[in-house]
């Protein structure tokens, strides 16, 4: 256009120029024209080089189809030129993002303002999902309006962001567990002492009454309520990882079969239980009672999700988790694992709810239908076993919980088991020193032991217990010593008693057993441990156990 303007201007002036001047002007015009053409070609090559080598995909869309695109656009979508040129823009956008992207696309044509950068998902030629960050502006293209889209592939940064969010959620979950665990540990001892006093008297009354007694049923209900309250405290301590575990080599297949026998009797008959158990399953180091608790909680939840019936599937298998899998789950180390998967085809869980299901006291059940501790307990047990638990669910399709526990190659030395004792052999005539700062517990335990023939001496503090053992130690056969007492605590009292009499037989009692605490007191010289609230029969077995096994060592526990 500039050349043409120069030509026209030269022709206009030519009538005033001599022939010689005209030739000179034409020569200069041709020279300028060549320089201009060269500059235009260089400029075009420069900008084409920039566009073709840009890290961003540059595409001009007209009527939703690409009219111009660079090599980066082809690389992102994995297409050749002919393929990409025939693709509609919205056919490449993920269906979940398509509506929002189309709204913003057409708002640009109408001149409306909107976000400068948009993030959305697209499909490449192979069907893989990629995240793009795009800026879209309206431009003129060959006389018509078009959209100039400059797009970055931000898939890796989005994945990193999601991983960071996941780690933050995990940290938040751990902090919540720690806070509730601290609270649970603080109240467990006092609460269990109260339960122990109630339980002791109720059990004593039941022992003294026949089943035909008018009050027997009411007392049984009170006894059952105390048991449920004790179980609630154990759940609190379990998911906060503040309760002792009895680890041993465990075959998950056997535990699943045992749990299924119970579930078949307790969940609705229209729910079919299906086992898919690996034949070569490796063992794990676990607490059988807590593994059973996991299966009961997950099985019960699954049945609630299928009120009209359905299928409950329990699977086991071996799996190797590499660094890639463990990177997103920092509580796992690469290695060999055993997985336990519990799935149902029930009503499913909404995505917003899944984020909270492992939180203590979170429940979607109606008032009075649940404590909100079931899945929190599962989470606590699994993490305490150095494992990991995940949940996948889709509304209307069902839910699947997957648990990963470290596999063990060799079985550790199995501890000796106490010989079973029949009920008629639980009584005796020996002398028991009862030590507890709760008067109600002392009175109840004293009366219970008297009922079974034992003689008792009581002490309400560590100092008093030590004084009585020094004066009457020759008469005392067993000491039942509360661990948490004001003043001289149970552990200090245990140490002083053993210094005075290394052969003393001491059973430690506590309403709160933190991880490692039992092992610590056993190594300190105690012969056994009993957790509050304990059952009468359990206490009597512990007493007969230490009386019948004077040489009992810490290894046995």
């Amino acid at each position: 256009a500039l050349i043409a303007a120069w030509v026209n201007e030269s022709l206009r002036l030519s009538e005033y120029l001599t022939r010689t001047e005209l030739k000179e002007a034409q020569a200069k015009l041709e020279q300028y024209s060549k320089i201009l053409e060269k500059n235009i070609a260089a400029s075009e090559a420069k900008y084409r080089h920039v566009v073709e080598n840009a890290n961003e995909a540059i595409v001009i869309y007209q009527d939703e189809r690409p009219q111009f695109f660079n090599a980066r656009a082809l690389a992102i979508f994995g297409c050749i030129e002919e393929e990409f040129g025939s693709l509609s823009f919205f056919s490449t956008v993920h269906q979940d993002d398509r509506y929002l992207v189309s709204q913003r696309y057409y708002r640009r044509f109408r001149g409306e303002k909107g976000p400068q950068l948009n993030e959305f998902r697209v499909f490449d030629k192979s069907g893989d999902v990629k995240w793009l960050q795009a800026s879209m502006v309206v431009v003129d293209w060959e006389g018509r309006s078009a959209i100039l889209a400059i797009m970055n592939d931000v898939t890796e940064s989005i994945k990193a962001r999601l991983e960071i969010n996941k780690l933050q959620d995990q940290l938040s979950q751990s902090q919540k567990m720690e806070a509730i665990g601290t609270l649970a540990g603080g109240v467990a001892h006092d609460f269990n002492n109260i339960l122990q006093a109630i339980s002791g008297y109720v059990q004593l009354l039941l022992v003294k009454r026949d089943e035909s007694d008018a009050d027997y049923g009411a007392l049984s209900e009170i006894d059952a309520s105390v048991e449920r309250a004790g179980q609630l405290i154990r759940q609190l301590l379990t998911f906060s990882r503040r309760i002792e575990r009895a680890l041993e080599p465990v075959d998950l297949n056997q535990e699943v079969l045992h749990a299924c026998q119970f579930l078949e009797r307790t969940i609705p008959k229209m729910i079919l239980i299906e086992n898919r158990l690996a034949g070569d399953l490796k063992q794990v180091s676990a607490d059988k009672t807590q593994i059973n608790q996991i299966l009961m909680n997950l099985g019960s939840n699954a049945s609630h999700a299928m009120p009209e019936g359905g299928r409950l599937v329990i699977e086991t298998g071996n799996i190797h988790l590499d660094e890639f899998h463990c990177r997103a789950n920092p509580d796992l180390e690469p290695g060999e694992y055993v997985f336990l998967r519990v799935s149902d085809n029930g009503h499913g869980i909404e995505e917003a709810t899944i984020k909270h299901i492992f939180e203590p006291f979170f429940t979607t059940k109606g008032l009075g239908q649940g404590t909100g501790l079931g899945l929190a307990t599962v989470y606590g047990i699994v993490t305490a076993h150095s494992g990991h638990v995940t949940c996948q669910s889709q509304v209307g399709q069902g839910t699947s919980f997957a648990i990963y526990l470290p596999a063990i190659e060799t079985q550790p030395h199995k501890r000796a088991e106490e010989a079973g004792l029949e009920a008629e052999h639980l009584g005796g005539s020996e002398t028991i020193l009862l030590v507890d700062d709760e008067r109600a517990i002392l009175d109840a335990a004293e009366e219970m032991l008297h009922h079974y023939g034992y003689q008792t001496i009581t002490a309400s503090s560590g100092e008093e217990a030590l004084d009585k053992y020094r004066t009457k130690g020759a008469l005392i056969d067993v000491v039942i010593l509360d661990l948490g007492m004001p003043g001289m605590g149970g552990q200090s009292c245990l140490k002083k008693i053993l210094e005075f009499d290394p052969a003393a037989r001491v059973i430690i009692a506590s309403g709160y057993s933190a991880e490692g605490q039992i092992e610590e007191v056993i190594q300190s010289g105690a012969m056994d441990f009993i957790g509050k609230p304990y059952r009468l029969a359990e206490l009597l077995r512990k007493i007969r156990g230490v009386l019948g096994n004077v040489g009992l060592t810490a290894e046995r526990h």
Side-chain angles (χ1 to χ4, degrees):
L2 184 58
I3 293 170
W6 284 355
V7 170
N8 290 334
E9 183 64 17
S10 297
L11 292 174
R12 188 179 67 80
L13 295 172
S14 64
E15 58 183 279
Y16 303 105
L17 301 176
T18 63
R19 186 178 296 276
T20 300
E21 291 173 330
L22 182 59
K23 286 183 178 179
E24 290 177 356
Q26 288 175 336
K28 287 182 179 181
L29 182 61
E30 289 177 2
Q31 182 183 1
Y32 292 153
S33 176
K34 289 178 181 178
I35 292 172
L36 186 58
E37 287 177 356
K38 184 178 179 180
N39 288 341
I40 291 172
S43 178
E44 182 181 344
K46 180 173 66 175
Y47 284 106
R48 180 171 293 279
H49 178 77
V50 171
V51 170
E52 288 301 322
N53 291 279
N55 286 327
E56 297 82 7
I58 300 174
V59 185
I60 293 178
Y61 287 101
Q62 204 171 60
D63 300 326
E64 300 178 12
R65 293 191 180 276
Q67 303 300 315
F68 173 86
F69 45 85
N70 64 352
R72 182 58 180 158
L74 298 178
I76 288 176
F77 287 92
C79 298
I80 60 176
E81 291 187 15
E82 292 77 7
E83 292 171 333
F84 188 68
S86 64
L87 285 176
S88 166
F89 173 57
F90 295 116
S91 69
T92 63
V93 178
H94 193 284
Q95 60 270 16
D96 292 343
D97 300 337
R98 198 168 293 163
Y99 175 78
L100 181 60
V101 173
S102 65
Q103 291 296 307
R104 292 179 176 176
Y105 181 94
Y106 287 111
R107 282 174 184 169
R108 287 294 183 189
F109 272 115
R110 295 194 295 269
E112 298 178 10
K113 292 183 178 180
Q116 291 298 315
L117 294 175
N118 300 277
E119 289 182 352
F120 54 90
R121 290 162 291 179
V122 297
F123 294 104
D124 63 13
K125 181 182 177 181
S126 64
D128 292 336
V129 176
K130 292 183 177 180
W131 279 92
L132 298 185
Q133 186 183 73
S135 171
M136 294 185 286
V137 296
V138 179
V139 297
D140 180 80
W141 182 261
E142 297 180 350
R144 295 176 57 207
S145 294
I147 288 289
L148 169 62
I150 301 177
M151 300 178 286
N152 277 309
D153 184 351
V154 293
T155 304
E156 293 305 317
S157 62
I158 292 289
K159 286 182 178 179
R161 187 196 309 167
L162 294 175
E163 184 172 331
I164 290 172
N165 290 341
K166 183 177 180 181
L167 293 176
Q168 288 175 336
D169 289 342
Q170 290 176 343
L171 176 60
S172 176
Q173 179 76 0
S174 297
Q175 289 172 336
K176 289 175 184 176
M177 293 300 179
E178 185 64 26
I180 295 296
T182 301
L183 175 63
V187 303
H189 180 269
D190 291 341
F191 193 74
N192 281 330
N193 275 343
I194 295 170
L195 291 178
Q196 184 61 59
I198 299 171
S199 177
Y201 280 115
V202 169
Q203 290 180 71
L204 189 59
L205 290 171
L206 285 171
V207 167
K208 294 179 178 179
R209 281 170 168 75
D210 188 80
E211 291 186 14
S212 59
D213 190 285
D215 295 328
Y216 193 88
L219 289 170
S220 296
E221 285 298 316
I222 296 173
D223 189 40
S225 296
V226 171
E227 276 290 287
R228 287 194 295 271
Q231 177 64 25
L232 182 61
I233 289 295
R234 284 191 290 274
Q235 281 187 295
L236 283 167
L237 294 173
T238 295
F239 78 73
S240 64
R241 286 179 271 181
R242 294 172 182 268
I243 194 168
E244 200 75 24
R245 294 169 293 124
L247 298 181
E248 59 182 310
V250 172
D251 181 350
L252 283 185
N253 285 346
Q254 292 299 319
E255 301 312 308
V256 169
L257 293 174
H258 293 157
C260 286
Q261 292 176 356
F262 181 81
L263 287 170
E264 286 173 350
R265 296 192 298 268
T266 56
I267 65 175
K269 297 295 183 183
M270 60 274 203
I271 295 176
L272 176 65
I273 301 177
E274 180 181 340
N275 290 329
R276 300 174 185 174
L277 308 181
D280 58 344
L281 194 67
K282 296 179 179 179
Q283 290 188 324
V284 297
S285 180
D287 184 313
K288 286 186 177 182
T289 301
Q290 294 186 356
I291 293 298
N292 183 70
Q293 192 172 3
I294 289 175
L295 290 165
M296 292 298 101
N297 283 341
L298 294 182
S300 175
N301 278 2
S303 69
H304 293 156
M306 300 181 288
E308 304 299 324
R311 184 184 298 272
L312 171 61
V313 180
I314 304 179
E315 303 172 71
T316 61
N318 301 315
I319 187 171
H320 175 79
L321 297 182
D322 56 22
E323 291 186 1
F324 176 78
H325 288 88
C326 297
R327 197 178 304 129
N329 302 296
D331 50 346
L332 291 178
E333 295 288 340
E336 302 302 320
Y337 286 79
V338 174
F339 73 82
L340 170 67
R341 185 178 294 113
V342 180
S343 308
D344 65 69
N345 59 351
H347 50 60
I349 306 172
E350 296 179 353
E351 185 176 353
T353 301
I354 290 180
K355 298 177 182 178
H356 303 285
I357 57 173
F358 294 120
E359 294 179 5
F361 305 114
F362 177 83
T363 180
T364 57
K365 298 175 183 177
L367 186 64
Q369 296 181 354
T371 63
L373 286 175
L375 292 178
T377 300
V378 170
Y379 179 90
I381 292 173
V382 173
T383 51
H385 282 76
S386 301
H388 184 65
V389 56
T390 63
C391 174
Q392 293 182 330
S393 185
Q394 188 172 350
V395 175
Q397 300 295 318
T399 303
S400 177
F401 287 91
I403 293 168
Y404 301 89
L405 298 175
I408 56 174
E409 297 296 335
T410 57
Q411 295 186 3
H413 180 68
K414 198 170 185 179
R415 67 190 185 189
E417 299 292 344
E418 286 189 37
L421 296 169
E422 298 298 331
E424 57 267 25
H425 301 306
L426 293 178
S429 59
E430 291 86 353
T431 299
I432 312 296
L433 172 59
L434 294 169
V435 188
D436 202 297
D437 62 313
E438 294 286 341
R439 189 71 243 176
I441 293 177
L442 285 179
D443 292 343
E446 185 176 23
E447 192 169 347
M448 283 192 295
L449 292 174
H450 283 172
H451 182 80
Y452 279 85
Y454 292 102
Q455 305 299 312
T456 61
I457 301 171
T458 63
S460 57
S461 68
E463 292 85 353
E464 185 182 354
L466 186 59
D467 182 61
K468 290 189 175 181
Y469 198 89
R470 282 171 175 163
T471 58
K472 301 180 180 180
L475 302 175
I476 296 171
D477 298 291
V478 178
V479 180
I480 299 175
L481 178 62
D482 183 39
L483 197 60
M485 295 184 295
M488 179 185 286
Q491 212 149 2
S492 296
C493 184
L494 170 65
K495 182 180 179 181
K496 295 291 185 182
I497 289 175
L498 291 175
E499 286 176 359
F500 180 76
D501 179 10
R505 307 168 197 166
V506 182
I507 299 173
I508 291 292
S510 177
Y512 167 51
S513 57
E515 185 68 36
Q517 189 183 53
I518 295 177
E519 188 65 27
E520 184 179 349
V521 296
I522 295 298
Q523 289 178 353
S524 296
M527 298 187 72
D528 213 331
F529 183 98
I530 188 167
K532 298 175 183 176
Y534 49 77
R535 305 295 297 172
L536 172 59
E538 183 185 7
L539 175 63
L540 295 173
R541 289 192 191 95
K542 296 282 186 181
I543 292 171
R544 291 313 325 162
V546 299
L547 286 171
N549 298 277
V550 179
L552 194 63
T553 65
E555 280 188 6
R556 182 175 165 210
H557 297 270

